[in-house]
Amino acid sequence: MQLAQARIDSGDRMVLAIDDDPTQARRLEGAESVLTLAHIALERGVGLAALIEEWPGDARVDAVALSDQGRLLAPLDHPDPAHLLVTGTGLTHLGSAEGRDKMHRQMNEADQSEAPLTDSMKMFRKGVEGGKPAAGDFGVQPEWFYKGDGGIVMAPGEALNMPHFALDGGEEPEVAGLYLIDNNGVPRRIGYALGNEFSDHVTERENYLYLAHSKLRACSFGPTLLVDELPSDVQGTSRIRRDGGVLWEKPFISGEDNMCHSLANLEAHHFKYAQFCRPGDVHVHFFGTATLSFSDGISAQPGDVFEIDAKPFALPLRNPLAKDAAAPVPSVKPL
């Protein structure tokens, strides 16, 4: 089962349930947000999937057409963007260290064969050795970063804007976990979505201590939210379209079979912090990737379109790239 949120002609919203055919999505009668449905499921003490199965509504809607019209929204949001936190983790996938290691290694060394391991490779190896602990135990800590709040989330189809000072705007095809903190401060997973974590890889390449800066960018996820468990082997494709053709295309993989960390370990190391367990908050946590066009020497340009698709997600995620106009240097004034 998958869920999507969409705008309707009146400016109101609707929630769609998608089983097999996205052209025959079922409109959930009276429902305007997935977050509201999640709260109702908590109040009734039932699972979200069970709630949706029983929810009234027989009208059928073509979600593919809505996607083409740019009317689909992110599949989870919060009426107060400050209460939606976007974070992520990296070096979590088998093969994910190769590009990062190459980025961070000093290339002016004549002989790399005896070069010491970079911090990225050390972190990756720690994950391979201890990223899948027994149930109830902490494994090795993964890399972790903050991206922003709900204000940085762009809907499917909306542009991912590079700040005017950015050196790059590159895609990161990932799966993200979507969560609501219940009234007892317990994280409750609503589901999973495809995501484009979108980063500035040129800035990161200058010095890996710039990683935090490189992540403070827009992102997008959706268009659908998978309510079921994530398959252990997710196979997809990431591509960049330019001038009507495909500029770059490459398979990407996710799911625990392709990761050096378990999802439970990534979740535990995020939600172990009390500030991330505030009742009512929504979290979007990106799980990392091993596939980047940047690693293949591609530099995306404004007007290019990022496209990510993978089974079992019903619809692809597409976002064009844009760049903000120049702006003056911020000046702080005394009060």
Side-chain angles (χ1 to χ4, degrees), residues 127-149:
V128 171
E129 294 166 0
K132 293 185 175 181
D137 292 340
F138 275 121
V140 169
Q141 289 190 113
E143 176 190 42
W144 184 96
F145 56 84
Y146 174 74
K147 279 194 71 69
D149 63 16

Side-chain angles (χ1 to χ4, degrees), residues 206-255:
E206 285 189 359
N207 189 307
Y208 77 94
L209 296 179
Y210 283 158
L211 174 72
H213 285 280
S214 75
K215 296 298 185 182
L216 294 174
R217 301 292 187 267
C219 69
S220 187
F221 61 92
T224 63
L225 182 160
L226 177 67
V227 179
D228 303 316
E229 288 298 318
L230 186 72
S232 61
D233 182 20
V234 176
Q235 302 278 341
T237 303
S238 178
R239 62 181 62 88
I240 300 175
R241 297 186 182 274
R242 178 178 293 175
D243 299 328
V246 176
L247 172 70
W248 174 88
E249 180 177 274
K250 200 167 188 177
F252 88 94
I253 55 176
S254 193

Side-chain angles (χ1 to χ4, degrees), residues 24-277:
Q24 293 293 314
R26 181 170 70 94
R27 181 175 178 180
L28 303 182
E29 187 177 303
E32 295 188 351
S33 80
V34 170
L35 181 60
T36 297
L37 293 171
H39 279 293
I40 293 172
L42 287 174
E43 291 168 4
R44 296 183 183 180
V46 299
L48 181 59
L51 179 76
I52 300 305
E53 290 284 357
E54 299 176 356
W55 198 273
D58 295 317
R60 298 292 164 171
V61 178
D62 186 346
V64 175
L66 292 177
S67 177
D68 292 342
Q69 296 163 12
R71 291 167 59 186
L72 292 182
L73 306 169
L76 181 66
D77 52 8
H78 194 288
D80 182 353
H83 286 278
L84 187 155
L85 300 180
V86 185
T87 55
T89 184
L91 299 173
T92 53
H93 285 63
L94 302 174
S96 61
E98 181 181 357
R100 186 84 70 83
D101 185 60
K102 195 184 303 180
M103 191 187 304
H104 295 167
R105 187 176 289 280
Q106 294 192 9
M107 302 308 293
N108 60 354
E109 293 179 6
D111 181 10
Q112 291 290 330
S113 60
E114 300 299 324
L117 292 177
T118 64
D119 287 343
S120 293
M121 188 58 74
K122 290 177 183 176
M123 178 75 80
F124 174 74
R125 288 191 175 183
K126 286 170 71 72
V128 171
E129 294 166 0
K132 293 185 175 181
D137 292 340
F138 275 121
V140 169
Q141 289 190 113
E143 176 190 42
W144 184 96
F145 56 84
Y146 174 74
K147 279 194 71 69
D149 63 16
I152 69 162
V153 176
M154 301 295 106
E158 285 190 325
L160 295 173
N161 278 50
M162 299 165 56
H164 68 92
F165 52 80
L167 303 179
D168 170 61
E171 87 298 333
E172 294 210 9
E174 306 188 18
V175 172
L178 311 180
Y179 309 87
L180 169 65
I181 310 303
D182 71 17
N183 290 335
N184 295 316
V186 177
R188 307 295 291 266
R189 189 190 315 107
I190 296 175
Y192 303 92
L194 282 177
N196 187 341
E197 193 254 297
F198 190 63
S199 298
D200 184 339
H201 302 106
V202 173
T203 292
E204 180 188 353
R205 184 176 60 183
E206 285 189 359
N207 189 307
Y208 77 94
L209 296 179
Y210 283 158
L211 174 72
H213 285 280
S214 75
K215 296 298 185 182
L216 294 174
R217 301 292 187 267
C219 69
S220 187
F221 61 92
T224 63
L225 182 160
L226 177 67
V227 179
D228 303 316
E229 288 298 318
L230 186 72
S232 61
D233 182 20
V234 176
Q235 302 278 341
T237 303
S238 178
R239 62 181 62 88
I240 300 175
R241 297 186 182 274
R242 178 178 293 175
D243 299 328
V246 176
L247 172 70
W248 174 88
E249 180 177 274
K250 200 167 188 177
F252 88 94
I253 55 176
S254 193
E256 288 193 354
D257 287 355
N258 305 301
M259 300 174 68
C260 55
H261 285 266
S262 65
L263 297 179
N265 192 51
L266 300 180
E267 292 173 332
H269 280 292
H270 177 67
F271 290 111
K272 69 185 179 183
Y273 296 105
Q275 64 262 42
F276 295 150
C277 296

